Amino acid sequence: MKDDDGKTVKAGDTIYFSYGIPPIRVDAPVVKEGGKLVAITKGHNPEKCSLKELKEYVGQFWKVEAANAKE
């Protein structure tokens, strides 16, 4: 699957997105479960979902590049 910048996202990558007002940033590791790419969103509801479902919930997500990783 590709993020909103067209970068390929695979298991082992981390993505980020935001939701709410004010926006809450979520950095989510991506794993493969049952043949699907799944974002682990611990502490948020739901705590995991497929990237396809995530796109429906939040609209956009991006791959975290090492230089942009949240510390």
Side-chain angles (χ1 to χ4, degrees):
M1 176 167 257
K2 296 191 182 282
D3 73 359
D4 282 274
D5 287 335
K7 296 177 185 171
T8 300
V9 176
K10 61 187 182 314
D13 289 338
T14 299
I15 60 166
Y16 74 95
F17 61 92
S18 63
Y19 70 91
I21 300 174
I24 297 168
R25 179 179 166 139
V26 178
D27 284 40
V30 177
V31 299
K32 195 164 195 172
E33 286 186 2
K36 295 180 182 179
L37 292 175
V38 175
I40 306 300
T41 55
K42 188 174 179 182
H44 302 276
N45 186 14
E47 290 203 341
K48 67 180 180 177
C49 66
S50 72
L51 293 187
K52 183 179 177 183
E53 291 172 319
L54 181 66
K55 190 88 158 156
E56 293 172 12
Y57 292 141
V58 300
Q60 299 176 313
F61 65 84
W62 298 270
K63 183 175 177 177
V64 174
E65 300 297 334
N68 296 328
K70 187 176 176 184
E71 298 182 24

